[in-house]
Amino acid sequence: MNRGDFIWLMFLCGFSSLLLMPATHQVFVSLTQNHPYGMGFIKFAVLATMGELLAVRIVAGNWQWTIGMTYKAVIWGLLGMGIVLMFEIYLSGVMGAIKKELLFTGTGLWQAVLTAFYISALMNLTFAPAFMAVHRLTDLYIDTKCQGQQQPGLSGLIAQIDWTGFIRFVVLKTIPCFWIPAHTITFLLPPEYRVMAAAYLSVALGAILAYARRTPS
């Protein structure tokens, strides 16, 4: 472990301590309840960017604050605000469908598990691919601008993306094998702990998308 590894790990542990200590945990939960969009911005801007830094460390072998990463952090924050809304929309939608007996949930533990699974599966099979594709486009646009290249426009950006790799890895592998199970567990947790789970999953999200962008299909 080098100095950069230690600093990254200590920062993550420091953030974790704010969530785990009773006094600061209650402040965090209260802020999330009263300012969901603002907290969504902060969580994803910070933690997903840490995921991107980790991916660069894995691929390049050293820690780098790459060109445009500050802008990418802002984009992550904005996307985090969208995720806050999508969590509520899919949660409310599935609960409404269950009340109308459009989805079978069973009773007892199975009811909780199937409800969480429905929310996770529907969200990841519909919203997640579009969300990840938008993120891929914004990342490419930032890279193009910060490297001083001629702005290619939307059609040019779309043409530069390895959509085959995107579908094979991000959609067909990470969604069924990681995101659906991970978010099923997230929605099994009490509401106050879902905040923490979503924050830490954003680290994995940043790492997965950044790693996929740098790895040939």
Side-chain angles (χ1 to χ4, degrees), residues 13-30:
C13 290
F15 188 86
S16 301
S17 67
L18 294 177
L19 302 179
L20 295 175
M21 291 188 297
T24 52
H25 170 73
Q26 290 302 319
V27 172
F28 184 83
V29 172
S30 177

Side-chain angles (χ1 to χ4, degrees), residues 26-75:
Q26 290 302 319
V27 172
F28 184 83
V29 172
S30 177
L31 287 172
T32 298
Q33 292 172 343
N34 295 319
H35 308 282
Y37 286 126
M39 290 300 292
F41 184 98
I42 292 171
K43 287 186 297 179
F44 282 86
V46 173
L47 291 173
T49 300
M50 290 187 68
E52 293 225 29
L53 285 169
L54 178 61
V56 174
R57 170 69 174 90
I58 293 170
V59 175
N62 61 306
W63 296 97
Q64 300 176 28
W65 187 266
T66 58
I67 298 174
M69 194 167 282
T70 300
Y71 298 107
K72 292 177 183 180
V74 174
I75 295 296

Side-chain angles (χ1 to χ4, degrees), residues 42 55 66 82 115 147 160 173 182 203:
I42 292 171
T66 58
T115 298
Q147 292 170 9
Q160 291 183 47
K173 291 183 180 179
V203 177

